[in-house]
Amino acid sequence: MTQSASRQPTTTAPAAASASGDGLDIRLVSGALGAEVRGIDLNEVTDAQFDRIHALMLEHLVLFFPDQQNLTPKAHVALGRRFGDVKVHPNLPRLEDYPEVTLIEPDKGGKADEWHIDVSFSPNPPIAAILHLITCPPSGGDTMWSNQYLAYETLSPTFQEMLEGLTAVHVLKVPPVVEMSAEHPVVRVHPVTGRRSLYVTRMWTSHIPQLSRHESDAVLQHLFEHSEQPRFTCRHRWDPHTVALWDNRATQHVAINDYQEHRRGQRVVVSGDLPTSDTPRKPDYEQIGDERYYPRRINARVGY
């Protein structure tokens, strides 16, 4: 029997997750993931407040902080550094004087309108991202996140067993000069919570090297469609100066491309860890006879 699609408590989260009397107002935004947090100024975060934020992120996977007009780029970077080293994005434009802050603008490569995990084509993808949306269209431009714990846990036990030991190649190609790729477990284990989640993404995942071309395509297509189901998601309607913080290890997200007006944000990402599994990697698929196997697609969209 598969597990129902509802969020589960993170038993290994820090004790601060159950603290009371800190003045924070926490409101869930969906049954699958996400919480709105009020009562804090991210421009001045104390150690106790950070512990609480960290615990809430582990539990709810994506947090929304409205009314953060005071957040400066300096404080934005400082908040990211509380989680770890901050990372400079390899392609997107950056804020002058603060190269750690990526500019998210539609006319500068900022419309990420397919489901994706941030920078999963890196050997060490970011563990978290913090997006301060400054300018919003009057309607449209929402962002959705999907809980990849639930996506894995609602697969049948037989299918879960089949995925053990499989890896996936994640590719970025920006012809003719940029190419990055990395291989990660199809099912990764979160280094803090110990929970398993799916770790493939429609935008970047190319293929599963342990399977033939057609098997890989079929399995990935099923996993993409399964992990993007509405029951695993939350959808956020932005207001200016809302900040979103998400755990990039156990979520995917997509920006809804249904607007024409200007949209501008600033994002900081936290340097990653190595996605790992607790199951040994299975050996690669070997071609049979003259079977044609083309293992790399361009961002899983264009043909082989």
Side-chain angles (χ1 to χ4, degrees), residues 102-117:
T102 299
L103 299 176
I104 305 297
E105 297 180 284
D107 56 351
K108 297 179 181 178
K111 271 193 178 179
D113 56 353
E114 285 195 82
W115 284 99
H116 64 285
I117 300 165

Side-chain angles (χ1 to χ4, degrees), residues 104-233:
I104 305 297
E105 297 180 284
D107 56 351
K108 297 179 181 178
K111 271 193 178 179
D113 56 353
E114 285 195 82
W115 284 99
H116 64 285
I117 300 165
D118 281 339
V119 200
S120 66
F121 47 82
S122 166
N124 303 98
I127 65 173
I130 308 168
L131 174 60
H132 178 198
L133 207 63
I134 298 170
T135 304
C136 308
S139 61
D142 297 358
T143 303
M144 297 179 68
W145 282 263
S146 180
N147 184 332
Q148 297 304 287
Y149 290 144
L150 296 182
Y152 171 75
E153 291 164 359
T154 52
L155 292 170
S156 69
T158 300
F159 203 86
Q160 290 176 355
E161 183 179 359
M162 187 271 288
L163 296 178
E164 293 299 328
L166 299 184
T167 60
V169 175
H170 300 243
V171 179
L172 167 69
K173 285 189 177 182
V174 184
V177 294
V178 178
E179 178 172 348
M180 297 179 64
S181 66
E183 185 176 343
H184 302 305
V186 170
V187 178
R188 73 170 292 178
V189 176
H190 196 288
V192 181
T193 68
R195 292 176 68 181
R196 295 182 175 192
S197 64
L198 286 182
Y199 202 72
V200 295
T201 177
R202 187 181 296 274
M203 180 175 281
W204 308 127
T205 303
S206 165
H207 67 285
I208 297 173
Q210 293 81 15
L211 303 179
S212 72
R213 169 189 174 181
H214 297 294
E215 290 169 344
S216 175
D217 284 353
V219 170
L220 285 176
Q221 186 62 29
H222 174 69
L223 294 178
F224 296 156
E225 293 176 356
H226 176 77
S227 64
E228 297 163 5
Q229 290 182 74
R231 62 181 175 143
F232 303 139
T233 69

Side-chain angles (χ1 to χ4, degrees), residues 26 35 42 72 102 173 186 228 230 236 275 294:
I26 315 298
L42 294 180
T72 65
T102 299
K173 285 189 177 182
V186 170
E228 297 163 5
H236 181 67
Y294 303 87

Side-chain angles (χ1 to χ4, degrees), residues 251-277:
T251 62
Q252 295 190 52
H253 59 284
V254 61
I256 308 300
N257 186 4
D258 61 350
Y259 64 97
Q260 299 298 322
E261 299 86 355
H262 188 57
R263 184 178 186 265
R264 180 169 64 94
Q266 298 177 354
R267 187 182 67 187
V268 169
V269 297
V270 183
S271 295
D273 52 9
L274 179 67
T276 59
S277 171

Side-chain angles (χ1 to χ4, degrees), residues 13-30:
S18 60
S20 59
D22 55 14
L24 298 185
D25 180 12
I26 315 298
R27 300 183 182 183
L28 303 187
V29 298
S30 84

